[in-house]
Amino acid sequence: MSTSSKTHRKLNVLSPVPADIDIANSVVPFHISEIAQELNLDPSHYDLYGKYKAKVLLSVLDDLQGSGDGYYVVVGGITPTPLGEGKSTTTVGLCQALGAFLDKKVVTCLRQPSQGPTFGIKGGAAGGGYSQVIPMDEFNLHLTGDIHAITAANNLLAAAIDTRIFHEASQSDKALFNRLCPPNKEGKRSFSSIMFRRLNKLGISKTKPEDLTPEEVKKFARLDIDPDSITWRRVMDVNDRFLRKITIGQGPEEKGMVRETGFDISVASEIMAVLALTTSLADMRERLGKMVIGNSKAGEPITADDLGVGGALTVLMKDAINPTLMQTLEGTPVLVHAGPFANIAHGNSSVVADKIALKLVGPGGFVVTEAGFGADIGTEKFMNIKCRYSGLTPQCAVIVATIRALKMHGGGPEVVAGKPLDRAYLTENVALVEAGCVNLARHISNTRAYGVNVVVAVNMFSTDSEAELNAVKNAALSAGAYDAIVCTHHAHGGRGAVDLGIAVQRACENVAQPLKFLYPLDISIKEKIEAIAKSYGASGVEYSEQAEKQIEMYSRQGFSNLPICMAKTQYSFSHTASEKGAPTGFVLPIRDVRASIGAGFIYPLVGTMSTMPGLPTRPCFYEIDLDTTTGKVIGLS
């Protein structure tokens, strides 16, 4: 291992705070090898991707197997407004405080942003103000190509599904088998290695194609996919509403095999969820092979390995499994990896990035990772899904709150992205803030139930008054928070989150309880759904006929022992986005239940979830351009 040297950067903070891209472009990043050296990473442990990015190799975990882990901190939030409450910014600001001001070894673990929001309505996800990941343009655009690898792998599997149906429709069992196992130059047939996975699944122990009986030939060669059961869709990393529902197979060569399907955005692919939850290359190979794309007409699940494509998917993903090393504005290290949809998937960055980071910072160091959306979605899934598969235990959970969001939960006017804020959000109203703190209180009690200490980070805006901020701190402490800190990291960088860093350190050092899950895995799918619904404040759960049918099928197929990944709106504890505060007594409706078997969870749909966002009338791309003189990107937000 190499010797570390301090690479922290002193920021020249301006007021008012300039645009995010202008701040990002005003700083020349350290060469990424300097950031790697700070973490004692040997050059053999990473591959350079230009000057400011590197892929950290999984071999680091093998080399550091015997060393201890640092403290593990997850950042969630209260139920947000459509504008977001600065969760990513707080995550980065906290890490800048820990690393650049409190002299701690720290790594920030973040999701890779999709190009959908970057060019759509939400903008990028590199943080904001003086708490950002840089280079901001590289972070928000292609990065090291992981999302493109996911897109390629996903669409290879989609092509394999339709091609298999096409060939099975026009060939006899024998002809199909002969083409799947063609003779070599000597006239001998053999099974490829992936075919033994299907043979084993079918209980066929024979190793030579010629030994199979006609009945075994049929079972092996004919998947008999039910087109109506196919759940696998094509993907692309662009918001394109007109691809939500499409018809394929209209070419003359497809012989009338028309099928209705659609596109999802790439980050909604199960392959992205697999990448985020995998623990090794071998584990990823197994998960990719186990992904279920639909059922046979007899009701049996059909997997990627049944189609013979699991190995090829792994080849396309072999570099994507390595996290990308970047840096914050103040020169603290960042691992960017995976970006699963926070509704239909678990909305957290990768297990492997967290594991590598915990070893690199070592005992006394800090790994801070962000969970998508409010704590009812992101932190719940972090605990019950991600920590289950990683075996890691967090010591502290940060809950980000803003006066703006609390006023909304207290009964303030609707907050709409792209429209000016109502005056209620820009002038002092302590009563409105106090009324909205019921939302914060429920998030605190829910999160404390996992056995972690909760620190509330109040992300301060210039319009917030001291009386309003004090009201939040008092409410947080009354609800059981370990501490509540007002932060100004957006305006001041790490210096504005030093008190938060100190509070998080104290919270980590004073945890005595083991991690407690919300539910055990060995209860029924319905019991697990109901445990989560109860944490939202629901009095019960109502299942549609379709949901009942799917639950019965997944239970029969042997998948009932998987954790649950609820797909619901992020704008309310309930299923109704307009229900603010902390609603109770509602019945949670489960419209449908689906499964990501390779990733390893069942996901019930609460209402309608769009997995392909659309572009607004005025997307972010209106502002984005290239300065052709300097080569710098302008207009990213």
Side-chain angles (χ1 to χ4, degrees), residues 348-362:
N348 282 258
S349 65
S350 79
V351 166
V352 292
D354 291 0
K355 285 194 160 195
I356 288 171
L358 286 163
K359 294 296 183 193
L360 290 175
V361 300

Side-chain angles (χ1 to χ4, degrees), residues 465-519:
S465 76
E466 192 172 343
E468 289 172 331
L469 295 167
N470 285 334
V472 180
K473 288 201 287 185
N474 292 336
L477 295 172
S478 297
Y482 184 85
D483 210 339
I485 307 293
V486 175
C487 309
T488 60
H489 43 274
H490 182 273
H492 303 119
R495 183 164 57 86
V498 168
D499 289 346
L500 177 62
I502 292 168
V504 165
Q505 181 181 348
R506 286 177 50 243
C508 287
E509 290 169 348
N510 289 286
V511 171
Q513 299 181 65
L515 180 63
K516 291 181 280 193
F517 297 120
L518 187 57
Y519 53 81

Side-chain angles (χ1 to χ4, degrees), residues 259-312:
R259 184 169 74 83
E260 197 176 81
T261 180
F263 272 76
D264 294 331
I265 196 162
S266 296
V267 290
S269 171
E270 184 178 349
I271 296 177
M272 175 62 92
V274 166
L275 178 66
L277 288 172
T278 196
T279 53
S280 68
L281 204 53
D283 178 64
M284 184 172 73
R285 169 64 187 88
E286 294 306 309
R287 286 175 182 269
L288 291 172
K290 286 195 299 187
M291 293 188 304
V292 172
I293 60 89
N295 299 324
S296 70
K297 286 170 184 167
E300 294 303 313
I302 303 294
T303 67
D305 272 348
D306 287 328
L307 285 154
V309 74

Side-chain angles (χ1 to χ4, degrees), residues 81-155:
T81 69
L83 306 177
E85 310 320 304
K87 195 150 41 66
S88 301
T89 307
T90 303
T91 303
V92 175
L94 168 59
C95 291
Q96 290 182 165
L98 287 165
F101 290 87
L102 297 172
D103 204 27
K104 302 295 179 186
K105 276 204 128 179
V106 64
V107 173
T108 316
C109 288
L110 291 175
R111 290 171 292 167
Q112 179 183 349
S114 163
Q115 288 178 183
T118 298
F119 291 106
I121 195 167
K122 197 175 177 186
Y130 288 100
S131 295
Q132 290 189 59
V133 179
I134 55 172
M136 177 193 174
D137 54 341
E138 294 183 28
F139 177 86
N140 281 311
L141 299 174
H142 304 287
L143 199 63
T144 47
D146 293 355
I147 294 180
H148 300 317
I150 288 161
T151 304
N154 184 100
N155 293 344

Side-chain angles (χ1 to χ4, degrees), residues 376 442-443 445-446 518 529-541 568 572-575 579 581-588:
D376 56 317
R442 184 178 292 169
H443 282 298
S445 61
N446 281 359
L518 187 57
I529 290 171
E530 283 149 23
I532 299 171
K534 189 177 175 186
S535 77
Y536 297 156
S539 59
V541 178
K568 80 166 182 75
S572 174
F573 271 111
S574 78
H575 54 287
E579 287 282 323
T584 56
F586 57 92
V587 176
L588 196 74

Side-chain angles (χ1 to χ4, degrees), residues 38-101:
E38 180 77 16
L39 287 170
N40 291 331
L41 273 170
D42 190 90
S44 66
H45 286 142
Y46 60 89
D47 290 334
L48 293 172
Y49 278 63
K51 292 186 285 188
Y52 307 128
K53 306 186 296 289
K55 280 278 196 181
V56 180
L57 306 179
L58 298 194
S59 57
V60 175
L61 280 175
D62 297 328
D63 291 355
L64 295 177
Q65 201 170 9
S67 57
D69 288 353
Y71 292 119
Y72 194 28
V73 180
V74 60
V75 179
I78 63 170
T79 306
T81 69
L83 306 177
E85 310 320 304
K87 195 150 41 66
S88 301
T89 307
T90 303
T91 303
V92 175
L94 168 59
C95 291
Q96 290 182 165
L98 287 165
F101 290 87

Side-chain angles (χ1 to χ4, degrees), residues 175-228:
L176 195 60
F177 184 70
N178 288 342
R179 285 186 171 90
L180 287 169
C181 303
N184 61 18
K185 288 177 183 176
E186 287 81 41
K188 291 185 177 179
R189 299 180 184 277
S190 62
F191 293 117
S192 64
S193 60
I194 197 170
M195 289 177 173
F196 287 106
R197 292 175 179 250
R198 176 152 179 81
L199 289 165
N200 290 337
K201 176 181 174 179
L202 295 170
I204 300 171
S205 57
K206 296 169 183 175
T207 58
K208 294 179 180 177
E210 58 267 25
D211 292 344
L212 267 63
T213 65
E215 185 187 6
E216 289 170 335
V217 164
K218 181 175 183 174
K219 280 172 68 179
F220 169 78
R222 194 163 294 281
L223 301 183
D224 202 25
I225 298 167
D226 177 2
D228 293 334

Side-chain angles (χ1 to χ4, degrees), residues 37 80 92 99 107 125 141 156 168 229 284 300 305 334 404 441 469 475 497 517 525 533 589 622 625 628:
Q37 190 178 13
V92 175
V107 173
L141 299 174
L156 175 62
E168 286 192 20
S229 75
M284 184 172 73
E300 294 303 313
D305 272 348
V334 180
R404 175 179 69 198
L469 295 167
F517 297 120
I525 291 173
Y622 272 87
D625 212 326
T628 54

